[in-house]
Each structure stands twice: as structure tokens, then as C-alpha cells.
Amino acid sequence: MLKIFYSRSKTEENHKSTREHYLISQVRSFASYLSHSPYSNPDYPLSLSPPPDELVQAGWSKCWSRRENRPYYFNRFTNQSLWEVPVLGQHDVISDPLGLNAAPAEGGDSNLGNGQRKRRSSEEQGGGPNSFKRAKVKRSPRLDEPERCSAPTTPISPSTPGVKPWSSAPEDKQAQIYWDLDVQTNAVIREQAPASHHLPPHPEIELQRAQLVTKLRQHYHELCHQREGIDPPRESFNRWLLERKVIDKGHDPLLPSDCDPVISPSMFREVMNDIPIRLSRIKYKEEARKLLFKYAEAAKKMIDSRNASPESRKVVKWNAEDTMNWLRRDHSASKEDYMDRLEHLRQQCGPHVAAVAKDSVEGICSKIYQLSAEYSRRLRQTHLSLVLSLHVSEACASPPQSRLVYCYPVRLAIPSPPLPRVELHFENDMACLRFRGEMVKVNRGHFSKLELLYRYSCIDDPRFDKFLSRVWCLLKRYQVMFGSGANEGSGLQGALPVLVFQTLNRQFGVSFECFASPLNCYFKQFCSAFPDTDGFFGSRGPFLSFCPVSGSFEANPPFCEELMDAMVTHFEDLLDQSSEPLSFIVFVPEWRDPVTPALTRMEGSRFLRHQLSIPAYEHEYRSGSQHICKRDEMYYRAVHGTAVLFLQNDAGFAKWAPTPERLAELTAAYRASSTRISSLSSPGPAHISPGDRDSAPKTSDRTQSNVLSPGGHDDNNNNDNNSSGDSGSSSSPRDKVSTV
């Protein structure tokens, strides 16, 4: 027994001695680290003068080396480090991606391809997104590279200097599967000057904009009720914003203020489609009978109360009374009989009803536009006054040179003023940001994503002082654009499945999204609707203003006919002007009855290399509410076919040709992603089961409800069915928001 006790004592003493030696070694290591810390060095500068503006635009920043006790220059795009001041066109490959502007550099990283320049890990940058979750490991610097000390880029809280109050590492690591921010861009553009007509975002202004847009939505609802006795077509206001911004020359990022024509074709068409009553999808015979009676009664009432011609009164009254008499006589009709009779009634009465409602509906469209222009002017004045009161003046940037560069995020010419404090707290898996009592939410995974995008893209806030305020402005902007209804606007922000994005990147070199947002983007380079709020998170601005010379792009536009038509025009111009490899892979709804002008133009384009059709109900999209929705609501099935078109110039076709092998990979990716459809608990914002297909109207692929449009080109009811997220039709889930 004594022997065992002695053995145990001996073992405990050994363990204790080992622990003491370990702790002493750790203390010595920490003391050694402090002795070499740049903050303990009297030569360490408290602030470094920034490099010239043209170097900042090319990705260069000035840092401090702990090892050498002197400043050096680091390029965030190419990961190059230089002791001397960089010379544009020589040291940075970003300034001459195609080798057309200057002779290639003699050595170093400038000879590496873009794909070889992967961003260093967060530990190497001295404060990466998850650096606060684990101990920082010092990297041994290469012999040909200065050691970097990124103290100025350490994120801090606006309220607690030195420490971030949040954890950007998502609790659920599966949230990371919805994007890949490590993919480097191959999109090449001409260097551009910072945007001078956009004012920097401010929470006060964004709060006022939200209130005015909500007020404008209420006016639209009241006008439809007072003048036509109908509810506004579902999400027609959202599509009105999209359609107006295609032609708007005003300065407000959201509210239209300078459009020609004043009358919106989209809003006019959708309101007219719901006159005299809104037609809905029919499943049962009794519903069809009631709908037929209501339509006849509403048409007769409207023609009696409006200033109609005698001929119109005669035609509408006779057809309405004949239908009512038929309903009283025949009680054995089938659902198909009722629907055929409704079709006949609409053909006979529709033109006359539309003629008497035309002036009233045009008045609704004109009134909403005038109010929007007034609200825009008021916001602009308030915003300018705020900027001037804070003594913020436009930055003096050197004019851009006519040289090719890899695309970079939008820069604003006017510096951002000091921003007010935004409070942050977490509720389970949701990050909640509050300003003046107005709270916006985003799940923890997407909050982490926004932090990474901000770190990669923002150049004026290395210490994250303005991060929370800018996140609040971004979330509030998209919340206001979507609307407050259940699932409203989610169709404007849908996205392709992850497997499809991975295949596009692997097989066709796609590294850029033409229509996205910081919330739903897969790559860190994308175009979006709002350059003022989104530029800090990687946006390259609106796509219709984006002019790439080379690159491979994915385009999944909001399904708004006017926007899609403008997109095709832009594609044609870009492909015609560039001799460098340029490729656009376009995803649009396969509407055939009637076919959309955009689809017709692309199918007849001389740049079309191949067209692929993905059948309805056999593929899926990611929800536009992915940043706030539940995991089981992330995907929904597409209830209409999707056309995939490959538009490429000769050089692009030679480099990224849609070969049978590559197309087979893309089809397999869709097939693999659609295997989850059978287990989806939430098929989407506008779910229609396969069994309901027979109930759909046969007049138009885009008329999603059992509806026939009085005007022929129906865009209004599309929203109940278009799965891929139909932004151009009435309220469906659409694929990507963005960019007008």
C-alpha cells in the first residue's frame, strides 16, 4: 500500500512540475512578444499617411513592418508586398490584366495568374474574421517579403475601442456553403472615376427614405381602392421600382424621379389586368361559377358608372346579362364550361372595360410617379444638408487613366461623414441591429458573410468603426424595397443552387454575377442595384452601367420584362465592342405564351452559342429571404421552365465553349440539386403543386393564376407562379435582385 501511495505522489509531482514549466515558458514567450510588439516600439507611428488615391484604387495600402520598423506597401488584390512606393503598370498586375498597357514586370508576384493569388488567411492579416475565436499564430515571413503588422485593420466596436462585441463565426458552419468568397475575378474593365452623384449612406437618411417609401406604398393602395375598387396587384409596386430604375436619370438610389415616359408600362399593365376584378387560380367548379358571376356583375357595374360610349354600354350589358341568365338556367355545367364562358366574356367585354378605365389607371401611375419625384427631391436636399453640416467635401481624386484593370468595388467620390451608433445584439441565430427604435435582422451566417465582404472591399474604414451603421443601412434598404408583406419581395432576390454556381465556375470560368446583392451573392464580385450601400460590400454597381472588356459572367436578372430587354441590349453592345474573351450565361424564365421580347432577341442573336432548357418542377432556386429564413425554407421548386442561353463573342467561345461535356456537367448539377425537392417542406413563396398544373390558365405561361389578361401581354399574375423568382411577373419568387 505504501508503495502505491508513494508512486501516486511521485506521478502527481511530475505532472505539477510539467505544468509549471509549461506556464513559465508561456509567460516568457508572451513577454518576448510584448518586447517586440510594435506598440511598445517608440518608432512605431500612431498613424500612417495613406498612399495616393490612384494607388488606393489599384488596391495598395500602407502598412507597418514589426520586423524592420519601417512602412511598406501591400496590395489587397494581388497580395504583393513592396518596400518602395509602387509604380502603377509595373508592380501591380491589377492595373494591366491583359498585358495591353505596359511591359510585364521583371519578376515577383506580378507574373502570377489571377487564380494563383489567393487571399492570405485571417491570421496572416492580423485580425481575420475568426481571429477572436482562436489564438493568433505568428507566421514566419518569407525572405523576400516584409513582415506585415496590420494593427490599423483590426476591427473594433464603435462603442468599445479595441474589441468587437460580436462573433462573426457562425454557430452553424453549414451556413458557409451558400457562397465562395475565395474565387478571384477574371472580369476586366476600364478604370473609372469614383461615383460623384451618389451620396454616402447615412442611417438618418435611410430611415427617412424608408418612411417615405412606406407612405408611397400606402398612397398606391388607396388610389387603387378609391378609383378602381381593387387591391393593388401583388408586388406590382416592387416591379414598378425595377422598371422605373431602368430609365431613371434621377439621383435617388431607390425612388424614381426623372423618367420618360411618366406613365409606367409595368404598373399600367398590371392594374389593367385586375380590372374589373382580380382573377385567381381555380380548383373547383363552384369557385369557377362564382368567379364568372362576379366578373359579369363587376363589368356591368363599371360600364354603368363610367363615361362609356353607347356601343360599349350595349356590348357589355348584353354579354353580362346573357352570362347571368345562363348561370341561372344551367346548374350542371362543369368547371371547364365555366372557364370557357369566362374566357368568352373577357374577350367580349375586356376591350370596352379597359377603354373606360384607361384614363383612371393612367392617373394612378402619374400620381405615384409625381409623389416619388417629390419625395426624392426632399430626401436629396436633406442628405446634402447633412453632408454639408458635417463639413464633408468631395475628395480630390486624380482623373482615371484609360487603362485596363480587374474590376473593383464602386468607390464614392464624397467621403463618408461620421455615422451614428447602431446597437447590435443576438437573438439565437439572428443578429439584430437597432437604430432609433428601428430594428433589422440577419442570420449569423450572413452577418459573418457581410463582415468578410466588408473586409475585402471597404478601403475607408480599416477599423470597422462604420461597419454596423453601413450594415443597418444595407439591410434597411433591401427591407424597404421588398415590402412588408409575408414573403413579399423574396422573389426579387432568389439565387441559383450552389452546385450550379460551382459548375459554372469550374467548367465555364464564371467568377462574376451580373444581378446580385451582398445578401445573396455567391462570388465576392457582383453587380447590384444600390452602389451607395452595396459598394462597401463588394458591389461593382448597376449592371447596365458596368462595361466589362473581358471575363465570364452569370446573369440571372429580376424577371421584369423592361429590365430583361435592356439587359439584352447591353449584352449585344458589350459583345460587339470587345475582341477579348467575353461570355454571358443567362438564366431567364422560359415564357412562351406569349414569348418575352428578351428571350426572342437572345434566341435570334448572332452571339448565341447554345441554349439549354431546364424543365419546370425539376429544378430549384434559393429563396430571396435566405438571410432571414429558416433552413428548411431555403430552397423552392421552379414552377416554370428556365432557359439557359450562352452569349459569347468569338474569343469567349474559344475559351469557354459550351461543349457537350460541360453542358452535361451543368445539367447534372441541376439534377443533383433538385433531388432535395421531394423533401422540401416549403416549396417557395408561390408554391403550386404538380397536380395543380391542369388548373392553370392556358392562355399564357406567365399568367400564373387562372387568369387571362385583358391586355394580352400579361405581367401581373405571373407572380403567383414563377418559381425562379419572377420579378417581372406579378409576385413570384425571382432570382436576384438587383441591378438596374
Side-chain angles (χ1 to χ4, degrees):
M1 181 70 69
L2 289 176
K3 190 172 184 179
I4 295 175
F5 178 77
Y6 176 77
S7 175
R8 286 181 178 176
S9 301
K10 212 51 173 160
T11 303
E12 290 176 358
E13 289 179 4
N14 290 338
H15 281 302
K16 184 176 180 181
S17 176
T18 303
R19 285 197 301 269
E20 289 177 354
H21 283 296
Y22 173 76
L23 292 174
I24 291 173
S25 64
Q26 292 295 313
V27 171
R28 288 176 178 173
S29 299
F30 185 67
S32 175
Y33 170 76
L34 290 179
S35 65
H36 292 86
S37 171
Y39 302 105
S40 63
N41 192 332
D43 296 330
Y44 180 77
L46 295 179
S47 63
L48 294 174
S49 58
D53 291 334
E54 58 271 15
L55 293 181
V56 173
Q57 292 292 336
W60 292 99
S61 59
K62 198 172 184 179
C63 305
W64 184 261
S65 171
R66 286 195 298 250
R67 186 185 63 184
E68 301 293 336
N69 287 331
R70 59 169 172 156
Y72 70 97
Y73 294 87
F74 172 70
N75 191 303
R76 62 205 312 272
F77 296 136
T78 63
N79 282 345
Q80 289 176 268
S81 300
L82 298 172
W83 292 117
E84 69 278 6
V85 178
V87 178
L88 290 177
Q90 296 182 16
H91 296 295
D92 57 330
V93 181
I94 198 72
S95 68
D96 191 13
L98 299 181
L100 303 180
N101 303 313
E106 296 180 358
D109 288 347
S110 60
N111 292 326
L112 297 178
N114 188 55
Q116 295 173 274
R117 298 186 192 88
K118 291 293 184 181
R119 181 175 298 276
R120 289 173 185 160
S121 65
S122 57
E123 290 85 358
E124 295 174 5
Q125 296 187 21
N130 298 326
S131 59
F132 37 82
K133 298 289 289 185
R134 56 183 178 271
K136 186 184 297 183
V137 180
K138 288 191 66 178
R139 175 182 62 88
S140 299
R142 300 200 316 250
L143 295 178
D144 60 341
E145 166 191 331
E147 183 180 85
R148 287 185 286 135
C149 170
S150 305
T153 64
T154 302
I156 65 169
S157 164
S159 57
T160 309
V163 181
K164 279 198 302 186
W166 67 84
S167 169
S168 63
E171 294 178 356
D172 188 351
K173 297 185 183 301
Q174 292 186 5
Q176 298 291 350
I177 68 173
Y178 300 123
W179 52 82
D180 185 355
L181 305 184
D182 292 329
V183 176
Q184 302 299 318
T185 184
N186 57 20
V188 178
I189 61 173
R190 291 281 176 187
E191 187 179 11
Q192 297 177 339
S196 59
H197 59 282
H198 289 293
L199 298 177
H202 194 283
E204 291 282 2
I205 301 301
E206 210 56 50
L207 185 59
Q208 293 185 34
R209 180 177 288 109
Q211 295 168 351
L212 292 175
V213 173
T214 301
K215 188 176 180 181
L216 191 61
R217 287 181 183 271
Q218 294 172 350
H219 278 300
Y220 180 45
H221 189 275
E222 293 170 0
L223 286 172
C224 288
H225 263 286
Q226 294 171 1
R227 298 195 179 189
E228 302 301 334
I230 62 172
D231 288 330
R234 187 167 177 241
E235 292 204 43
S236 63
F237 187 87
N238 297 339
R239 281 183 298 280
W240 173 77
L241 290 175
L242 282 174
E243 180 264 330
R244 292 282 84 185
K245 295 308 287 185
V246 173
I247 59 175
D248 185 36
K249 300 178 181 177
H251 295 305
D252 192 88
L254 184 59
L255 290 169
S257 60
D258 186 6
C259 300
D260 185 23
V262 171
I263 306 299
S264 164
S266 172
M267 179 177 285
F268 178 83
R269 180 173 61 243
E270 295 190 27
V271 175
M272 291 294 288
N273 283 342
D274 281 6
I275 294 175
I277 63 171
R278 181 180 183 182
L279 302 179
S280 57
R281 177 171 295 276
I282 298 302
K283 289 187 177 181
Y284 306 106
K285 182 179 75 171
E286 288 303 318
E287 292 178 351
R289 179 184 175 89
K290 290 180 181 179
L291 188 64
L292 177 59
F293 181 82
K294 286 182 179 180
Y295 187 92
E297 187 180 42
K300 182 180 178 182
K301 182 179 179 181
M302 172 173 280
I303 211 71
D304 285 336
S305 62
R306 302 292 176 95
N307 187 20
S309 66
E311 180 65 22
S312 295
R313 291 180 186 276
K314 179 180 177 181
V315 171
V316 174
K317 282 188 175 182
W318 187 89
N319 280 279
E321 290 174 357
D322 181 65
T323 299
M324 293 179 181
N325 291 332
W326 179 78
L327 286 170
R328 295 187 188 101
R329 290 193 313 267
D330 194 343
H331 297 280
S332 61
S334 64
K335 172 189 166 184
E336 288 72 21
D337 294 334
Y338 289 127
M339 297 310 299
D340 290 341
R341 189 82 186 196
L342 177 60
E343 166 74 9
H344 173 76
L345 184 62
R346 295 186 76 232
Q347 288 179 352
Q348 296 296 318
C349 299
H352 301 282
V353 171
V356 298
K358 179 175 180 292
D359 292 341
S360 175
V361 175
E362 286 182 347
I364 294 175
C365 299
S366 177
K367 182 65 174 178
I368 293 300
Y369 172 76
Q370 291 170 3
L371 288 173
S372 175
E374 172 61 23
Y375 292 164
S376 175
R377 183 190 60 81
R378 192 186 306 175
L379 270 176
R380 183 77 176 181
Q381 291 179 349
T382 304
H383 205 165
L384 286 172
S385 300
L386 177 64
V387 171
L388 293 176
S389 67
L390 297 173
H391 307 289
V392 176
S393 59
E394 185 171 344
C396 298
S398 57
Q401 305 176 21
S402 180
R403 58 196 178 97
L404 296 173
V405 297
Y406 284 111
C407 68
Y408 52 88
V410 171
R411 309 299 185 203
L412 302 182
I414 301 177
S416 178
L419 299 179
R421 177 183 176 183
V422 169
E423 299 175 358
L424 170 70
H425 70 277
F426 290 89
E427 297 178 359
N428 297 325
D429 195 38
M430 300 299 292
C432 306
L433 294 90
R434 185 187 300 274
F435 174 74
R436 290 188 177 275
E438 290 287 329
M439 186 167 65
V440 293
K441 295 183 178 182
V442 62
N443 63 47
R444 197 181 286 264
H446 279 76
F447 183 76
S448 172
K449 174 189 180 183
L450 291 176
E451 184 182 351
L452 288 173
L453 288 172
Y454 193 80
R455 186 180 302 280
Y456 292 156
S457 307
C458 181
I459 62 173
D460 69 342
D461 185 26
R463 295 177 65 83
F464 277 52
D465 294 327
K466 302 173 182 177
F467 172 70
L468 294 180
S469 297
R470 287 172 173 171
V471 170
W472 188 92
C473 290
L474 180 143
L475 294 175
K476 193 65 178 177
R477 176 75 59 82
Y478 281 97
Q479 181 190 77
V480 169
M481 183 183 183
F482 291 166
S484 57
N487 290 323
E488 185 178 2
S490 60
L492 297 176
Q493 185 84 332
L496 298 176
V498 171
L499 289 177
V500 175
F501 270 121
Q502 292 173 345
T503 303
L504 290 174
N505 174 249
R506 184 172 60 253
Q507 298 295 332
F508 300 98
V510 172
S511 65
F512 193 105
E513 297 167 74
C514 297
F515 299 89
S517 76
L519 298 172
N520 74 342
C521 64
Y522 179 81
F523 305 111
K524 68 173 179 284
Q525 44 272 341
F526 56 90
C527 282
S528 69
F530 308 121
D532 58 331
T533 55
D534 299 356
F536 301 108
F537 300 89
S539 172
R540 271 59 172 170
F543 176 68
L544 297 183
S545 304
F546 181 71
C547 300
V549 176
S550 176
S552 183
F553 302 84
E554 175 266 355
N556 190 5
F559 298 162
C560 166
E561 291 190 28
E562 292 78 9
L563 175 58
M564 290 194 293
D565 200 44
M567 172 195 72
V568 176
T569 301
H570 195 49
F571 285 158
E572 297 274 352
D573 293 341
L574 294 174
L575 291 167
D576 188 57
Q577 294 169 4
S578 177
S579 59
E580 298 297 330
L582 191 59
S583 171
F584 296 97
I585 304 178
V586 190
F587 298 77
V588 293
E590 197 166 13
W591 292 329
R592 294 294 180 183
D593 186 16
V595 66
T596 56
L599 183 56
T600 301
R601 292 179 58 192
M602 286 190 288
E603 289 179 335
S605 173
R606 65 187 180 93
F607 297 107
L608 179 66
R609 306 297 179 173
H610 189 79
Q611 182 172 346
L612 188 65
S613 180
I614 310 298
Y617 297 94
E618 295 183 12
H619 61 294
E620 63 184 2
Y621 285 88
R622 266 186 297 139
S623 171
S625 303
Q626 58 182 274
H627 58 288
I628 54 175
C629 72
K630 298 177 181 178
R631 179 67 53 79
D632 57 1
E633 298 173 351
M634 183 66 70
Y635 287 90
Y636 56 84
R637 76 188 74 187
V639 297
H640 59 66
T642 296
V644 185
L645 302 101
F646 294 78
L647 302 179
Q648 301 169 328
N649 61 8
D650 293 338
F653 179 67
K655 188 171 184 178
W656 300 297
T659 62
E661 295 78 11
R662 289 173 173 173
L663 293 173
E665 286 284 340
L666 181 59
T667 305
Y670 259 119
R671 191 182 305 116
S673 65
S674 65
T675 55
R676 82 181 77 218
I677 288 181
S678 59
S679 62
L680 287 178
S681 61
S682 176
H687 167 49
I688 299 172
S689 65
D692 294 339
R693 289 188 229 181
D694 295 336
S695 302
K698 299 179 181 179
T699 55
S700 170
D701 290 342
R702 284 171 290 157
T703 318
Q704 310 285 340
S705 1
N706 221 340
V707 182
L708 309 152
S709 94
H713 223 52
D714 181 301
D715 211 18
N716 165 36
N717 301 298
N718 303 349
N719 59 97
D720 289 84
N721 172 358
N722 77 342
S723 93
S724 138
D726 182 336
S727 130
S729 46
S730 226
S731 96
S732 70
R734 207 245 47 73
D735 205 72
K736 284 204 175 243
V737 54
S738 205
T739 335
V740 226

